[in-house]
Structures are given as C-alpha cells and as structure tokens.
C-alpha cells in the first residue's frame, strides 16, 4: 500500500488482501489444528464455514471499508454516526495489536528456520523434534527473532506498502504454490502416504465435537483475516470501480487451496514417517524438514521454501500493523512513521511473554493455557466470532438494504442474484451459525 490513499494498481488490493489472508493460518495453523481435531471432519467443517460464513463476512468488511473510506473505527462512524458500532472497529484494532504480538513469535521461528537451513542444522538424520524444541524454548533467540520479524514489519508499514510488496506478491505467491505442489507430490509418493490422505479427506463423524466446530469456525475467520477490522482497513483503499465480489471469491479459493495443499504435504508424510498428527504447533517444523531431506538438494529447497513462508507470514503481519496504524494516524500520513515505530515496539514488548511461553514460562498457565495459547484462544475463538457476528448483523440488518446492495455492487459485474444470496447469508446463515456454534461451545468450557 502506498502513502497515497489507494492501491497503485488494480490487482494491488487482491494481492494485498490475499497476502493478508494467506499466511501462517493456512500453512502452519491449519495442518496442526486439523491434526489435533480429528482430521477430515475438521477439514470439512472448515471448508463449509469458509464458504457460507467467512466469505460473506469478508465481503461485508469490504463493503464497510470501501463505503466508509477510512480506518476501521472511522468507517463505522461515517456509516453510523453517533452509534456504538465504532466499538466493533475499536475491538478489532485492539485484537490486531494482540494478534501481531503472538503472530510475530511464530514469524520469528520461521526466520530462525531460514537461518537453520544455512547453518547446517537441517540435514539428514537430524532429530527435527529436538531441533524444534531447542528453537522455541531458547529465550534469547525466540525474542531476538521475534524482534527481527517485528522490525521488518515496522520497516515496511512505516514506508507504506508500496509497489515493491504489491509486485513481489505477484511472483512470490505463485512460487509458493509451485513449491507446495512439488512437495505434495513427494509426500504423496512416500510409502504409506495414503493413510495420511484418508486422515485428511475421509471424515470420521464420531470425532465431531462442539469444540471442533468452534475451532473450525475460528480457523475459517483467522484464515480469511476477518473479525479484526483488517479487511475493513484494506478495503478503505479500494476504488469504487473495482469488483469486490470477484476479489473476495479469488482470495477465498486461493486460501482454501493453500490450506489443502499444506494438508496434502503434511499428512501423507506424517503417516509415512511415523510421526503423530496431533503433536500441535511443531507439526510443520518437524515434518517438513524430514520430507525435504528425501528430495535431492533438499536442504537448499528447504531454505527457499522457508523464505517463501516468511514472506507469506510478513504480508499477513503488514495487514495487522496497518490496521492499528491506520486507526491511530486517522488519515494524517505525517504521523505514520512515528506511530509505526512506537506501536510496533509496543507490540513487540507485549509479545515477549508469548515468546517465552514455549520455554522458561511454559509453566505459567492461566485458565490452564500458556500465555500464547490464551491470547490465541481469546482472539480466534472469542473476538473473531463475536466481531464477525456484529459485522454480519450490521451489514445485513442495521444498514439500509438498498444502500448496501448499491454500494457493495459498485464496479461489480456479478449477477444480482449473487448479491441477494450474499445478503441472505449475512442476515441468516452467518449469525445463526455463529450463535449456534458459540453457545454450544460455551457449555463445554
Ligand atoms: N489470515 C492470516 C493468516 O492466515 C492471519 C490474519 C488474521 C491476518 C487476521 C490479519 C488479520 O496467517
């Protein structure tokens, strides 16, 4: 995004929003949450929720941002002056702050793995489980790499996400796809791989629990970057001549594709190599290097792959920081640089306990969760669903129906029936699904 108030090219928005969506959610979180939530049944719920709940809400965020034309809080103020609705924006902005504080911890791990791949730590016969443990439990390197990750994020958002990043997305995202496909082929041809495919694609209905539903819903929101005002913010730079429906559709499919590819790379290998699918956050860090070691020049390819993951992670991080900065500078670009430094550093400091929760502070438990897990739970299982619910009610019921259709439909050539379907999903499907899943899950806490 440039300092000017709109994307520099027509494809800029799609790339940036897709860059925000595709990140650790699809590559890291999706495989391990599928692994701990029974596999295929979770995948199925995730796909359904993405299409019928998350996509409509994402489009509603596009509508709010583009029509309001300002940062998330002020966009609500413009659309509904004097109401309480700007609080949805405020909560979203605060959530982005917290989200980035722990997202950057994992971003730091990925950076650390890039370095690992150059320093000979990724080699055949290495115990990758032990390497992962060592990587995340070391307080100094965790904090250092988290800081480095934040520094890059600050640097880019401070200067405005100019042409460079917009254009880089254009080459790096396809590169990520291609490497994923190569990996999937390698993984699928390992002996015993099919067990992993059925784990991923053959639902076992007995494994369905209300918690699985809430986690799948949370993952659908997380993966599309919704419920935290990030898409409202990005859409505020979007021209009225552009088709937000097509953009939303493309972004959703790209994201589903990357998630499923990640699953197709990980699970066949998990079963073929005798690892456990439910091992949690370490899954990709333990299984992926092992798969690469089975490919000629695997350690170089691993380095390239991890760099692409760093890139995908950074483009998501930019959107989180941009959401906070846009809300504090309130269109006064002169303040951008100073605000980005101050807020970026504050986010880093708030994230330190999360970085330590895999090592020296791993026994600090609140509600039985580590600090990292607690933040993650608050954001993905509580704030995202509740804000998504508010956004669907706001767009579906509070705003004037005709004006929503006119504003959202600007620049779009999709058939009118689709617009009505969208509004229907926002009025009925999304709120009902969110409320049912949420209430069900409250009973188990
Ligand atoms: N969608 C991003 C990912 O999958 C995470 C994200 C969530 C980014 C919310 C911005 C806002 O990695």
């Amino acid at each position: 995004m440039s300092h000017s108030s709109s994307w520099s090219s027509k494809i800029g928005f799609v790339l940036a929003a897709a860059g925000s969506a595709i990140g650790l959610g699809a590559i890291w979180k999706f495989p391990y949450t599928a692994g701990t939530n029974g596999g295929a049944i979770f995948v199925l719920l995730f796909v359904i929720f993405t299409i019928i709940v998350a996509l409509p809400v994402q489009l509603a965020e596009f509508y709010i941002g583009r029509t309001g034309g300002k940062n998330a809080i002020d966009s609500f103020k413009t659309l509904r002056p004097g109401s309480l609705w700007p609080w949805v924006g405020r909560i979203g902005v605060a959530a982005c702050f917290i989200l980035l504080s722990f997202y950057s911890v994992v971003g730091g791990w990925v950076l650390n793995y890039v370095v690992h791949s150059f320093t000979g730590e990724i080699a055949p016969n290495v115990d990758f489980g032990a390497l992962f443990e060592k990587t995340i439990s070391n307080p100094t390197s965790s904090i250092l790499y988290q800081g480095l990750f934040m520094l890059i994020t600050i640097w880019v958002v401070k200067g405005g996400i100019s042409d460079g990043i917009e254009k880089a997305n254009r080459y790096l995202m396809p590169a990520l796809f291609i490497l994923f496909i190569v990996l999937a082929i390698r993984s699928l041809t390992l002996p015993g791989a099919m067990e992993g495919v059925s784990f991923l694609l053959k639902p076992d209905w007995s494994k369905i629990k209300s918690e699985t539903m809430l986690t799948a819903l949370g993952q659908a929101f997380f993966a599309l970057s919704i419920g935290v005002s990030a898409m409202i913010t990005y859409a505020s730079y979007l021209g009225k001549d552009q088709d937000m429906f097509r953009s939303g559709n493309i972004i959703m499919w790209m994201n589903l594709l990357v998630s499923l590819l990640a699953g197709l790379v990980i699970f066949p290998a998990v079963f073929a190599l005798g690892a456990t699918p439910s091992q949690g956050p370490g899954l990709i860090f333990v299984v992926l290097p092992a798969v690469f070691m089975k490919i000629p020049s695997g350690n170089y390819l691993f380095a390239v792959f991890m760099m692409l993951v760093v890139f995908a992670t950074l483009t998501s991080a930019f959107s989180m920081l941009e959401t906070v900065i846009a809300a504090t500078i309130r269109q006064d670009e002169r303040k951008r640089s100073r605000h980005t430094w101050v807020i970026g550093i504050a986010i880093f400091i708030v994230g330190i306990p999360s970085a330590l929760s895999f090592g020296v502070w791993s026994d600090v438990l609140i509600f039985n969760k580590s600090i990292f897990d607690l933040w993650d739970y608050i954001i993905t299982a509580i704030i995202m669903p509740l804000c998504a619910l508010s956004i669907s009610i706001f767009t579906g019921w509070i705003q004037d129906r005709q004006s929503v259709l006119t504003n959202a439909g600007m620049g779009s050539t999709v058939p009118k029936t689709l617009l009505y379907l969208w509004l229907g999903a926002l009025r009925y499907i999304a709120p009902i699904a969110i409320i049912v899943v949420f209430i069900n899950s409250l009973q188990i806490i």
Side-chain angles (χ1 to χ4, degrees):
M1 184 181 335
S2 65
H3 266 179
S4 62
S5 55
S6 61
W7 300 99
S8 65
S9 61
K10 196 159 184 159
I11 193 147
F13 170 74
V14 183
L15 288 176
S20 167
I22 298 169
L24 292 174
I27 302 167
W28 164 73
K29 205 162 191 244
F30 171 77
Y32 93 73
T33 355
T36 46
N37 284 280
I41 186 68
F42 173 86
V43 177
L44 187 69
L45 287 170
F46 165 72
V47 173
I48 296 175
F49 285 147
T50 299
I51 298 173
I52 68 170
V53 184
L55 176 65
V57 176
Q58 185 191 44
L59 293 169
E61 290 204 17
F62 289 173
Y63 152 77
I64 294 169
R66 188 171 73 168
T67 314
K70 300 198 182 100
N71 67 74
I73 302 168
D74 288 325
S75 285
F76 276 107
K77 282 191 189 154
T78 308
L79 294 178
R80 281 279 136 182
S83 70
L84 287 176
W85 288 103
W87 277 99
V88 178
R90 287 191 190 102
I91 295 170
V93 169
C96 273
F97 185 103
I98 298 295
L99 184 55
L100 185 52
S101 81
F102 65 86
Y103 199 82
S104 55
V105 172
V106 186
W109 300 348
V110 183
L111 276 177
N112 200 343
Y113 266 72
V114 172
V115 175
H116 281 342
S117 59
F118 285 109
T119 48
E121 261 128 330
I122 307 292
N125 303 324
V126 166
D127 177 348
F128 292 117
L131 178 64
F132 180 66
E133 272 309 309
K134 201 178 99 198
T135 307
I136 63 170
S137 60
N138 181 326
T140 327
S141 70
S142 302
I143 294 174
L144 225 75
Y145 281 104
Q146 180 212 1
L148 180 62
F149 183 87
M150 278 310 299
L151 210 62
I152 306 173
T153 308
I154 292 170
W155 196 256
V156 173
V157 173
K158 175 180 80 64
I161 306 165
S162 64
D163 274 336
I165 292 294
E166 270 187 48
K167 292 218 179 88
N169 262 313
R170 203 177 297 192
Y171 300 103
L172 293 169
M173 283 295 162
L176 188 71
F177 267 103
I178 293 168
L179 260 188
F180 253 136
I181 290 169
V182 171
L183 271 182
I185 294 171
R186 175 65 273 209
S187 196
L188 286 167
T189 49
L190 290 169
M194 285 311 131
E195 217 180 314
V197 177
S198 53
F199 179 79
L200 189 70
L201 300 177
K202 234 176 160 184
D204 174 355
W205 295 97
S206 65
K207 292 208 177 114
I208 193 164
K209 286 190 266 157
S210 11
E211 204 180 345
T212 313
M213 304 233 302
L214 183 64
T215 318
L217 188 68
Q219 176 65 22
F221 292 151
F222 187 86
L224 283 189
S225 305
I226 56 179
V228 293
S229 293
M231 289 300 107
I232 299 183
T233 309
Y234 267 16
S236 71
Y237 308 107
L238 178 67
K240 299 250 194 292
D241 56 337
Q242 295 196 31
D243 191 336
M244 56 169 243
F245 288 92
R246 266 183 221 288
S247 307
N249 193 36
I250 297 171
I251 294 162
M252 180 193 76
W253 287 111
M254 279 172 48
N255 196 60
L256 279 179
L257 194 63
V258 176
S259 299
L260 292 177
L261 269 177
L264 274 182
V265 169
I266 301 288
F267 289 109
V270 164
F271 285 90
L273 304 172
T276 27
S278 58
Q279 60 182 274
L283 191 62
I284 72 159
F285 293 96
V286 176
V287 175
L288 276 183
V291 181
F292 274 102
M293 289 308 107
K294 296 194 175 296
I295 300 176
S297 315
N299 45 342
Y300 299 112
L301 274 183
F302 182 75
V304 175
F305 182 80
M306 276 295 158
M307 283 193 259
L308 293 174
V309 177
V310 167
F311 186 80
T313 309
L314 280 170
T315 50
S316 302
F318 300 154
S319 67
M320 297 174 199
L321 188 55
E322 176 63 24
T323 304
V324 185
I325 302 304
T328 68
I329 64 175
R330 304 188 71 185
Q331 293 77 248
D332 182 355
E333 288 294 335
R334 286 167 308 174
K335 294 185 180 155
R336 175 175 285 270
S337 181
R338 192 164 45 89
H339 280 231
T340 312
W341 276 114
V342 174
I343 291 169
I345 291 170
I347 291 176
F348 166 63
I349 294 170
V350 170
I352 290 178
S354 298
L356 296 179
S357 56
F358 295 90
V360 283
W361 282 9
S362 58
D363 45 7
V364 179
L365 297 182
I366 307 165
F367 300 121
N368 227 355
K369 287 182 163 34
S370 71
I371 299 167
F372 182 101
D373 287 341
L374 185 68
W375 280 138
D376 183 24
Y377 189 79
I378 292 175
I379 304 290
T380 46
I382 301 174
I383 303 226
M384 282 182 171
L386 290 184
C387 285
L389 175 65
S390 313
I391 285 164
S392 57
I393 292 175
F394 178 79
T395 313
W397 294 99
I398 305 296
Q399 289 297 87
D400 171 63
R401 197 180 140 91
Q402 206 43 52
S403 122
V404 170
L405 288 172
T406 314
N407 281 301
M410 271 178 201
S412 173
T413 50
V414 297
K416 273 269 167 318
T417 21
L418 271 182
L419 297 195
Y420 288 117
L421 264 178
W422 167 59
L423 212 54
L426 278 182
R427 297 186 121 196
Y428 304 102
I429 301 175
I432 293 171
I434 298 171
I435 290 171
V436 169
V437 171
F438 205 73
I439 290 182
N440 253 319
S441 75
L442 286 184
Q443 294 162 352
I444 49 168
I445 298 175

mmCIF file of all heavy atoms in Angstrom, residues 335-363:
data_model
loop_
_atom_site.group_PDB
_atom_site.id
_atom_site.type_symbol
_atom_site.label_atom_id
_atom_site.label_comp_id
_atom_site.label_asym_id
_atom_site.label_seq_id
_atom_site.Cartn_x
_atom_site.Cartn_y
_atom_site.Cartn_z
ATOM 1 N N LYS A 335 1.976 11.401 10.430
ATOM 2 C CA LYS A 335 2.205 10.712 11.709
ATOM 3 C C LYS A 335 2.643 9.277 11.525
ATOM 4 O O LYS A 335 2.994 8.598 12.487
ATOM 5 C CB LYS A 335 0.900 10.706 12.514
ATOM 6 C CG LYS A 335 0.428 12.059 12.955
ATOM 7 C CD LYS A 335 -0.792 11.872 13.844
ATOM 8 C CE LYS A 335 -1.344 13.191 14.345
ATOM 9 N NZ LYS A 335 -2.776 13.059 14.659
ATOM 10 N N ARG A 336 2.582 8.785 10.275
ATOM 11 C CA ARG A 336 2.775 7.350 10.048
ATOM 12 C C ARG A 336 4.078 6.810 10.635
ATOM 13 O O ARG A 336 4.087 5.846 11.376
ATOM 14 C CB ARG A 336 2.693 7.037 8.550
ATOM 15 C CG ARG A 336 2.998 5.580 8.229
ATOM 16 C CD ARG A 336 2.783 5.274 6.767
ATOM 17 N NE ARG A 336 1.387 5.187 6.414
ATOM 18 C CZ ARG A 336 0.665 4.077 6.452
ATOM 19 N NH1 ARG A 336 1.215 2.946 6.830
ATOM 20 N NH2 ARG A 336 -0.595 4.096 6.122
ATOM 21 N N SER A 337 5.182 7.472 10.310
ATOM 22 C CA SER A 337 6.462 6.926 10.677
ATOM 23 C C SER A 337 6.600 6.781 12.204
ATOM 24 O O SER A 337 6.920 5.708 12.723
ATOM 25 C CB SER A 337 7.550 7.824 10.102
ATOM 26 O OG SER A 337 8.774 7.310 10.422
ATOM 27 N N ARG A 338 6.306 7.872 12.914
ATOM 28 C CA ARG A 338 6.481 7.845 14.376
ATOM 29 C C ARG A 338 5.536 6.809 15.007
ATOM 30 O O ARG A 338 5.942 6.002 15.843
ATOM 31 C CB ARG A 338 6.226 9.242 14.950
ATOM 32 C CG ARG A 338 6.647 9.397 16.382
ATOM 33 C CD ARG A 338 6.746 10.884 16.752
ATOM 34 N NE ARG A 338 5.589 11.635 16.260
ATOM 35 C CZ ARG A 338 4.454 11.808 16.953
ATOM 36 N NH1 ARG A 338 4.327 11.289 18.158
ATOM 37 N NH2 ARG A 338 3.455 12.491 16.454
ATOM 38 N N HIS A 339 4.278 6.838 14.581
ATOM 39 C CA HIS A 339 3.319 5.888 15.156
ATOM 40 C C HIS A 339 3.734 4.435 14.910
ATOM 41 O O HIS A 339 3.572 3.579 15.764
ATOM 42 C CB HIS A 339 1.924 6.125 14.553
ATOM 43 C CG HIS A 339 1.214 7.272 15.195
ATOM 44 N ND1 HIS A 339 -0.061 7.182 15.689
ATOM 45 C CD2 HIS A 339 1.609 8.539 15.429
ATOM 46 C CE1 HIS A 339 -0.426 8.351 16.202
ATOM 47 N NE2 HIS A 339 0.569 9.192 16.047
ATOM 48 N N THR A 340 4.259 4.194 13.695
ATOM 49 C CA THR A 340 4.604 2.810 13.388
ATOM 50 C C THR A 340 5.724 2.320 14.297
ATOM 51 O O THR A 340 5.681 1.203 14.814
ATOM 52 C CB THR A 340 5.018 2.670 11.907
ATOM 53 O OG1 THR A 340 4.043 3.330 11.113
ATOM 54 C CG2 THR A 340 5.070 1.216 11.485
ATOM 55 N N TRP A 341 6.705 3.172 14.535
ATOM 56 C CA TRP A 341 7.785 2.778 15.449
ATOM 57 C C TRP A 341 7.257 2.516 16.855
ATOM 58 O O TRP A 341 7.500 1.458 17.440
ATOM 59 C CB TRP A 341 8.868 3.862 15.517
ATOM 60 C CG TRP A 341 9.871 3.749 14.414
ATOM 61 C CD1 TRP A 341 10.061 4.641 13.396
ATOM 62 C CD2 TRP A 341 10.798 2.676 14.198
ATOM 63 N NE1 TRP A 341 11.053 4.193 12.564
ATOM 64 C CE2 TRP A 341 11.529 2.980 13.026
ATOM 65 C CE3 TRP A 341 11.081 1.485 14.871
ATOM 66 C CZ2 TRP A 341 12.524 2.148 12.515
ATOM 67 C CZ3 TRP A 341 12.069 0.657 14.367
ATOM 68 C CH2 TRP A 341 12.780 0.982 13.202
ATOM 69 N N VAL A 342 6.521 3.506 17.389
ATOM 70 C CA VAL A 342 6.093 3.398 18.790
ATOM 71 C C VAL A 342 5.173 2.183 18.978
ATOM 72 O O VAL A 342 5.374 1.348 19.870
ATOM 73 C CB VAL A 342 5.381 4.700 19.239
ATOM 74 C CG1 VAL A 342 4.795 4.546 20.629
ATOM 75 C CG2 VAL A 342 6.369 5.866 19.183
ATOM 76 N N ILE A 343 4.201 2.068 18.089
ATOM 77 C CA ILE A 343 3.243 0.971 18.249
ATOM 78 C C ILE A 343 3.911 -0.379 17.952
ATOM 79 O O ILE A 343 3.685 -1.363 18.667
ATOM 80 C CB ILE A 343 2.006 1.211 17.366
ATOM 81 C CG1 ILE A 343 1.236 2.399 17.949
ATOM 82 C CG2 ILE A 343 1.109 -0.021 17.299
ATOM 83 C CD1 ILE A 343 0.157 2.941 17.077
ATOM 84 N N GLY A 344 4.750 -0.392 16.941
ATOM 85 C CA GLY A 344 5.443 -1.640 16.610
ATOM 86 C C GLY A 344 6.281 -2.146 17.777
ATOM 87 O O GLY A 344 6.271 -3.333 18.106
ATOM 88 N N ILE A 345 6.988 -1.222 18.419
ATOM 89 C CA ILE A 345 7.815 -1.636 19.560
ATOM 90 C C ILE A 345 6.930 -2.091 20.725
ATOM 91 O O ILE A 345 7.218 -3.089 21.396
ATOM 92 C CB ILE A 345 8.773 -0.487 19.977
ATOM 93 C CG1 ILE A 345 9.817 -0.295 18.862
ATOM 94 C CG2 ILE A 345 9.466 -0.800 21.300
ATOM 95 C CD1 ILE A 345 10.685 0.939 19.005
ATOM 96 N N ALA A 346 5.815 -1.375 20.922
ATOM 97 C CA ALA A 346 4.894 -1.791 21.995
ATOM 98 C C ALA A 346 4.375 -3.205 21.734
ATOM 99 O O ALA A 346 4.299 -4.033 22.649
ATOM 100 C CB ALA A 346 3.732 -0.800 22.096
ATOM 101 N N ILE A 347 4.062 -3.496 20.487
ATOM 102 C CA ILE A 347 3.562 -4.841 20.148
ATOM 103 C C ILE A 347 4.632 -5.887 20.445
ATOM 104 O O ILE A 347 4.363 -6.948 21.015
ATOM 105 C CB ILE A 347 3.133 -4.902 18.663
ATOM 106 C CG1 ILE A 347 1.882 -4.043 18.450
ATOM 107 C CG2 ILE A 347 2.878 -6.352 18.213
ATOM 108 C CD1 ILE A 347 1.413 -3.931 17.015
ATOM 109 N N PHE A 348 5.856 -5.555 20.100
ATOM 110 C CA PHE A 348 6.972 -6.465 20.367
ATOM 111 C C PHE A 348 7.070 -6.767 21.872
ATOM 112 O O PHE A 348 7.170 -7.919 22.290
ATOM 113 C CB PHE A 348 8.274 -5.837 19.838
ATOM 114 C CG PHE A 348 9.518 -6.500 20.341
ATOM 115 C CD1 PHE A 348 9.793 -7.820 20.028
ATOM 116 C CD2 PHE A 348 10.423 -5.799 21.136
ATOM 117 C CE1 PHE A 348 10.947 -8.439 20.499
ATOM 118 C CE2 PHE A 348 11.571 -6.412 21.604
ATOM 119 C CZ PHE A 348 11.833 -7.732 21.294
ATOM 120 N N ILE A 349 6.983 -5.701 22.681
ATOM 121 C CA ILE A 349 7.124 -5.895 24.129
ATOM 122 C C ILE A 349 5.974 -6.742 24.678
ATOM 123 O O ILE A 349 6.181 -7.681 25.447
ATOM 124 C CB ILE A 349 7.209 -4.522 24.845
ATOM 125 C CG1 ILE A 349 8.514 -3.832 24.415
ATOM 126 C CG2 ILE A 349 7.152 -4.687 26.364
ATOM 127 C CD1 ILE A 349 8.618 -2.381 24.841
ATOM 128 N N VAL A 350 4.759 -6.434 24.219
ATOM 129 C CA VAL A 350 3.605 -7.217 24.684
ATOM 130 C C VAL A 350 3.756 -8.684 24.268
ATOM 131 O O VAL A 350 3.276 -9.596 24.937
ATOM 132 C CB VAL A 350 2.292 -6.603 24.135
ATOM 133 C CG1 VAL A 350 1.101 -7.512 24.389
ATOM 134 C CG2 VAL A 350 2.057 -5.235 24.754
ATOM 135 N N GLY A 351 4.466 -8.919 23.148
ATOM 136 C CA GLY A 351 4.614 -10.289 22.653
ATOM 137 C C GLY A 351 5.680 -11.109 23.373
ATOM 138 O O GLY A 351 5.714 -12.336 23.223
ATOM 139 N N ILE A 352 6.541 -10.442 24.163
ATOM 140 C CA ILE A 352 7.638 -11.188 24.801
ATOM 141 C C ILE A 352 7.147 -12.356 25.676
ATOM 142 O O ILE A 352 7.643 -13.474 25.547
ATOM 143 C CB ILE A 352 8.573 -10.223 25.568
ATOM 144 C CG1 ILE A 352 9.341 -9.379 24.532
ATOM 145 C CG2 ILE A 352 9.562 -10.980 26.461
ATOM 146 C CD1 ILE A 352 10.268 -8.337 25.122
ATOM 147 N N PRO A 353 6.126 -12.127 26.551
ATOM 148 C CA PRO A 353 5.643 -13.285 27.327
ATOM 149 C C PRO A 353 5.179 -14.434 26.427
ATOM 150 O O PRO A 353 5.376 -15.607 26.781
ATOM 151 C CB PRO A 353 4.472 -12.704 28.124
ATOM 152 C CG PRO A 353 4.755 -11.244 28.211
ATOM 153 C CD PRO A 353 5.461 -10.879 26.942
ATOM 154 N N SER A 354 4.596 -14.122 25.272
ATOM 155 C CA SER A 354 4.181 -15.200 24.367
ATOM 156 C C SER A 354 5.397 -15.944 23.840
ATOM 157 O O SER A 354 5.375 -17.165 23.689
ATOM 158 C CB SER A 354 3.388 -14.642 23.182
ATOM 159 O OG SER A 354 2.211 -14.021 23.620
ATOM 160 N N ALA A 355 6.466 -15.194 23.547
ATOM 161 C CA ALA A 355 7.684 -15.838 23.052
ATOM 162 C C ALA A 355 8.274 -16.757 24.119
ATOM 163 O O ALA A 355 8.824 -17.808 23.821
ATOM 164 C CB ALA A 355 8.704 -14.785 22.645
ATOM 165 N N LEU A 356 8.110 -16.342 25.387
ATOM 166 C CA LEU A 356 8.703 -17.137 26.468
ATOM 167 C C LEU A 356 7.830 -18.312 26.870
ATOM 168 O O LEU A 356 8.255 -19.185 27.611
ATOM 169 C CB LEU A 356 8.950 -16.246 27.691
ATOM 170 C CG LEU A 356 9.975 -15.123 27.486
ATOM 171 C CD1 LEU A 356 10.109 -14.291 28.751
ATOM 172 C CD2 LEU A 356 11.329 -15.686 27.068
ATOM 173 N N SER A 357 6.591 -18.333 26.366
ATOM 174 C CA SER A 357 5.695 -19.376 26.876
ATOM 175 C C SER A 357 5.984 -20.762 26.308
ATOM 176 O O SER A 357 5.338 -21.722 26.677
ATOM 177 C CB SER A 357 4.219 -18.995 26.743
ATOM 178 O OG SER A 357 3.876 -18.681 25.459
ATOM 179 N N PHE A 358 6.977 -20.871 25.439
ATOM 180 C CA PHE A 358 7.372 -22.202 24.975
ATOM 181 C C PHE A 358 8.657 -22.663 25.652
ATOM 182 O O PHE A 358 9.187 -23.707 25.349
ATOM 183 C CB PHE A 358 7.557 -22.208 23.457
ATOM 184 C CG PHE A 358 6.267 -21.936 22.739
ATOM 185 C CD1 PHE A 358 5.886 -20.641 22.430
ATOM 186 C CD2 PHE A 358 5.418 -22.989 22.411
ATOM 187 C CE1 PHE A 358 4.677 -20.391 21.794
ATOM 188 C CE2 PHE A 358 4.218 -22.749 21.773
ATOM 189 C CZ PHE A 358 3.852 -21.449 21.464
ATOM 190 N N GLY A 359 9.168 -21.825 26.556
ATOM 191 C CA GLY A 359 10.415 -22.186 27.225
ATOM 192 C C GLY A 359 10.317 -21.868 28.705
ATOM 193 O O GLY A 359 9.545 -22.495 29.433
ATOM 194 N N VAL A 360 11.036 -20.815 29.114
ATOM 195 C CA VAL A 360 11.130 -20.530 30.546
ATOM 196 C C VAL A 360 9.776 -20.267 31.223
ATOM 197 O O VAL A 360 9.628 -20.479 32.421
ATOM 198 C CB VAL A 360 12.082 -19.346 30.831
ATOM 199 C CG1 VAL A 360 13.520 -19.813 30.707
ATOM 200 C CG2 VAL A 360 11.828 -18.173 29.906
ATOM 201 N N TRP A 361 8.799 -19.780 30.474
ATOM 202 C CA TRP A 361 7.494 -19.519 31.089
ATOM 203 C C TRP A 361 6.441 -20.562 30.718
ATOM 204 O O TRP A 361 5.254 -20.301 30.787
ATOM 205 C CB TRP A 361 6.986 -18.115 30.701
ATOM 206 C CG TRP A 361 7.659 -17.040 31.488
ATOM 207 C CD1 TRP A 361 8.731 -17.181 32.328
ATOM 208 C CD2 TRP A 361 7.319 -15.646 31.522
ATOM 209 N NE1 TRP A 361 9.097 -15.965 32.868
ATOM 210 C CE2 TRP A 361 8.243 -15.007 32.390
ATOM 211 C CE3 TRP A 361 6.331 -14.869 30.907
ATOM 212 C CZ2 TRP A 361 8.207 -13.640 32.651
ATOM 213 C CZ3 TRP A 361 6.288 -13.502 31.166
ATOM 214 C CH2 TRP A 361 7.214 -12.896 32.031
ATOM 215 N N SER A 362 6.890 -21.719 30.311
ATOM 216 C CA SER A 362 5.903 -22.700 29.851
ATOM 217 C C SER A 362 5.004 -23.191 30.984
ATOM 218 O O SER A 362 3.914 -23.694 30.750
ATOM 219 C CB SER A 362 6.591 -23.881 29.166
ATOM 220 O OG SER A 362 7.484 -24.472 30.070
ATOM 221 N N ASP A 363 5.455 -23.013 32.226
ATOM 222 C CA ASP A 363 4.555 -23.456 33.305
ATOM 223 C C ASP A 363 3.697 -22.323 33.860
ATOM 224 O O ASP A 363 2.960 -22.505 34.819
ATOM 225 C CB ASP A 363 5.334 -24.179 34.421
ATOM 226 C CG ASP A 363 6.599 -23.433 34.793
ATOM 227 O OD1 ASP A 363 6.782 -22.303 34.273
ATOM 228 O OD2 ASP A 363 7.400 -23.956 35.595
#
